[in-house]
Structure formats: structure tokens, C-alpha cells
Amino acid sequence: AKQLSEMFQSGDANVQQLQTNSKLINLLVAMLSREDDRCRIAAANALRHLATNEVTHPLMVDARVCEPLVQMLRSEDDQCKYAAITVIVCMMSATKGINQSLVDALVDAGVIEPCIKMIKSDHRDIAVRVVSHLTAIPEQQYRIAEAGAITSLGKLVCEDHHSVATLALLNLSPCNALKPQIANTGVIRHLVAMIREKGDENAVGL
């Protein structure tokens, strides 16, 4: 897996051909469940390169990649967490619009809670991208709020004027039941400052 990842980085691998290789994907997904963290990280790094276009997603979802990736997010090893969440972000980013089957698989695997916890870590920016993507799906909004996302996102807006966190709150704001929770984070005056400072479109929308 490490050699394969290095091949992708060097440009020596035929990515398009490998992306459609279901046997390779199944093998790498199986490696994500091993106890050796180095093996899991190497497999995740290889899968990250395979996740660069939406052709791969059905193969990866069919191989049940989401379950071991979410397990890695719960790891005590920081490198494991980062390797896993980068695969998730690549899968989400390579798709135009919302890939419902991918999102459903991630949510069913339990991705929401560990991602919200990661917002408080050094990997907060990439974790917020995942949470923001999930908040765009109405069926998941209450579940995300119940997991404590609004408090964490509001803190980022208040402390750092974080635009992606603002977008996530904007996605949640059409839910009338969630509006008081968003307001109670104290974001309103910070949104005004963001509009004055840089005309932040997410702040304007929220």
C-alpha cells in the first residue's frame, strides 16, 4: 500500500485504470481493518488517490470503506485520524453535488460524532469541511445538531470568524427548531463583523 501511494505521488501509476480495479480497492479496504496503524495509514493514503473522481465511489462504498474509515477516526493515533478523514474529504469533494449513497454509508457508519470531536483538534479545518457537507442534507441536520455540532461550529465563528463553519450553520438555519440554538452561541455580532470586514457571503446568508 505504501509503494502504491508513492506511485500515485510520483505519477507512475495509471490512476484511471487502477480506479476501476475493484479487487485492488477491496484489498486496500481490508487493510484498513488491520491492527497495524502503519498498514492502515498506508492503505488510506492509497485510497485517497483512488478517490479523486466519482467513478470510484460506488466501488469503494460497495467494498464498505466507510466503516473502517470511521473506526480510524476514533483511533487514539492522530495520523490514523488524519489519513482517514482525508479519504472522506476526497470522496466528498470529487462528487458534483451530494452523493447520497456515500453520505448514507458514512452516516450509518457513525461519521458524525468523531468528526465533531475533531473540530476541537489540530485537524479542525478538514473536519469542519466534512460536517459542513453533511449539514447540506436536510435529513441529517437534526442528527448533527443533537451530536453537539452547533456549539462547536459557533465557537469557531466567534473565535476565528471561520467561513466554512459559518456555511455549516447557514445550512442548519432553515430548521426553525435549531435557530435558537444557533443564536445562543453568540455568533450574531461576529457575523456582522465578518460582513463588515470581508463581505463574507455565508455570514450574509446566515
Side-chain angles (χ1 to χ4, degrees):
K2 183 178 179 181
Q3 290 177 337
L4 183 61
S5 181
E6 290 172 350
M7 286 170 63
F8 283 124
Q9 291 176 340
S10 67
D12 291 338
N14 186 330
V15 177
Q16 188 173 4
Q17 184 178 3
L18 290 171
Q19 281 173 328
T20 59
N21 190 328
S22 59
K23 290 183 179 179
L24 173 61
I25 291 172
N26 287 332
L27 176 61
L28 291 170
V29 170
M31 292 173 68
L32 294 177
S33 298
R34 294 189 179 178
E35 295 183 4
D36 186 340
D37 284 341
R38 292 176 300 176
C39 177
R40 298 164 77 190
I41 291 168
N45 288 338
L47 284 167
R48 184 182 74 244
H49 294 285
L50 291 173
T52 54
N53 75 55
E54 56 189 309
V55 174
T56 318
H57 297 167
L59 297 175
M60 295 177 75
V61 173
D62 288 346
R64 304 184 68 84
V65 70
C66 297
E67 289 90 341
L69 286 176
V70 171
Q71 287 301 318
M72 288 177 70
L73 292 182
R74 296 192 177 104
S75 170
E76 295 297 323
D77 187 279
D78 198 53
Q79 289 183 318
C80 261
K81 292 178 182 178
Y82 183 74
I85 202 165
T86 54
V87 177
I88 293 170
V89 166
C90 284
M91 293 176 73
M92 288 180 165
S93 301
T95 305
K96 295 179 180 178
I98 302 297
N99 184 327
Q100 194 66 49
S101 62
L102 171 61
V103 169
D104 289 345
L106 285 167
V107 171
D108 289 345
V111 75
I112 294 173
E113 289 77 8
C115 278
I116 291 172
K117 288 182 180 179
M118 285 184 73
I119 291 176
K120 302 175 183 178
S121 74
D122 292 338
H123 305 312
R124 67 171 196 182
D125 290 338
I126 195 167
V128 169
R129 287 176 61 187
V130 174
V131 173
S132 178
H133 188 95
L134 295 174
T135 59
I137 303 164
E139 295 80 7
Q140 304 300 338
Q141 290 172 345
Y142 283 100
R143 190 169 178 178
I144 292 168
E146 289 173 355
I150 290 177
T151 300
S152 297
L153 293 168
K155 187 175 181 181
L156 280 182
V157 174
C158 293
E159 293 182 354
D160 297 325
H161 291 184
H162 200 290
S163 185
V164 180
T166 306
L167 174 60
L169 291 176
L170 174 60
N171 290 339
L172 295 173
S173 65
C175 301
N176 288 328
L178 300 182
K179 288 178 180 177
Q181 294 184 46
I182 295 172
N184 288 338
T185 63
V187 298
I188 295 176
R189 65 187 180 89
H190 295 280
L191 295 173
V192 173
M194 291 170 70
I195 294 169
R196 288 175 176 170
E197 291 170 3
K198 51 186 179 181
D200 190 288
E201 293 182 359
N202 294 328
V204 173
L206 183 54

